[in-house]
Amino acid sequence: SITLTSSAALKVKAFKSGYTPSSEASASFAFAATGTVGSSYYISPNGSDSNRGTSASNPWKTFAFAVTKLRPGDQLILLDGTYTMAGNGGIYIRCDSSGWAQNGTAASPITVKALNERQAFLNGNGSAITIHVYKCSYWTFEGLRARSADNATSGSGDVVGIAYSDHITLRRLLLQYNNRYANTHLVSLTLASNLLVEENEFYETHRGGIVGSFDNSIIRRNYFNSRNYPDIAGGYASINSQKGDESVA
């Protein structure tokens, strides 16, 4: 990794072969922010956790393994394909003293992104939150497609859950199908702050699109369409039984 600070300067010299440079023949570039340019790691539905994970040709397989390896400034790149709870697990990130993940920083967030936007599909089954962030700071999720599913035996099934966390970015996600047997949402927030939720698409919404407790956050340029996703027999009753309830509440 490379650490950049406000006082750092990079001098570059380029000369033709055989040319003797003068002391003035250089260019300097100053970096305005402090941060770490981290490593890129890869994960695939058919990878292996025994791989190095450092290229698309040797990706990891499970999120439980990958999340523990990420440090500030790193990015986890999801290769194309369908990720399942049985094969790859959900993305569960916990950053407190009882957790297994690290926080990012303002200058060096940790990023989880698709190599090709919307081509990495997180196919949840309603047994747990598909993308779950708990007591974390400075994580970014970008370009993913994710869903949950109806599951009568589970009290969970949000597609994204962010709890007691801050400075989380959700960007250009496509989210669908929360679990209709429970009081779930596409994005469920619990005492979250300083979020950036932008340019996402929300479809097949039962109950809410973005629902919960949050403050000091920006929600902009998102598209919501419940597509008349109705209540299910024996499931959790929504306010409007024939389609989703709130877009943002």
Side-chain angles (χ1 to χ4, degrees):
S1 65
I2 303 172
T3 299
L4 308 177
T5 70
S6 58
S7 60
L10 174 67
K11 289 189 175 182
V12 178
K13 297 181 180 181
F15 309 106
K16 292 182 178 179
S17 177
Y19 177 74
T20 300
S22 68
S23 60
E24 292 78 23
S26 65
S28 297
F29 302 88
F31 297 99
T34 298
T36 299
V37 178
S39 301
S40 294
Y41 298 102
Y42 295 80
I43 189 168
S44 165
N46 300 310
S48 170
D49 290 344
S50 63
N51 287 338
R52 294 181 62 190
T54 52
S55 74
S57 62
N58 61 6
W60 294 324
K61 181 175 184 177
T62 68
F63 292 109
F65 179 84
V67 162
T68 65
K69 306 300 182 182
L70 302 178
R71 302 294 181 263
D74 288 352
Q75 58 179 355
L76 179 64
I77 300 172
L78 279 67
L79 302 183
D80 295 358
T82 299
Y83 297 80
T84 65
M85 290 292 196
N88 312 99
I91 299 178
Y92 184 17
I93 300 163
R94 180 169 179 170
C95 304
D96 64 356
S97 60
S98 298
W100 43 86
Q102 291 196 14
N103 292 310
T105 68
S108 303
I110 299 172
T111 300
V112 180
K113 62 184 291 186
L115 177 64
N116 298 299
E117 293 198 354
R118 312 292 178 82
Q119 300 306 306
F121 175 35
L122 305 175
N123 189 16
N125 60 13
S127 65
I129 300 170
T130 309
I131 302 173
H132 189 184
V133 182
Y134 185 80
K135 293 188 175 180
C136 294
S137 301
Y138 296 105
W139 280 72
T140 294
F141 301 86
E142 187 172 303
L144 308 174
R145 177 187 169 201
R147 62 164 289 169
S148 188
D150 294 328
N151 188 324
T153 64
S154 171
S156 184
D158 300 295
V159 181
V160 177
I162 301 172
Y164 311 105
S165 298
D166 60 88
H167 297 93
I168 308 299
T169 296
L170 306 178
R171 179 180 293 121
R172 294 194 299 277
L173 307 182
L174 193 161
L175 306 178
Q176 299 170 280
Y177 299 109
N178 53 300
N179 181 11
R180 290 179 290 178
Y181 283 102
N183 184 22
T184 64
H185 313 284
L186 294 186
V187 176
S188 180
L189 304 174
T190 304
L191 296 179
S193 65
N194 299 99
L195 307 177
L196 175 58
V197 183
E198 63 179 2
E199 300 171 5
N200 303 285
E201 296 178 48
F202 298 81
Y203 298 108
E204 283 82 24
T205 308
H206 176 255
R207 295 289 289 126
I210 302 172
V211 177
S213 54
F214 59 97
D215 59 11
N216 297 320
S217 297
I218 297 173
I219 299 175
R220 64 187 179 189
R221 300 193 299 271
N222 298 285
Y223 178 76
F224 299 85
N225 188 340
S226 71
R227 291 178 172 169
N228 296 320
Y229 195 46
D231 286 2
I232 191 171
Y236 191 94
S238 60
I239 296 171
N240 189 325
S241 63
Q242 298 305 308
K243 60 180 181 180
D245 292 337
E246 308 92 351
S247 294
V248 181

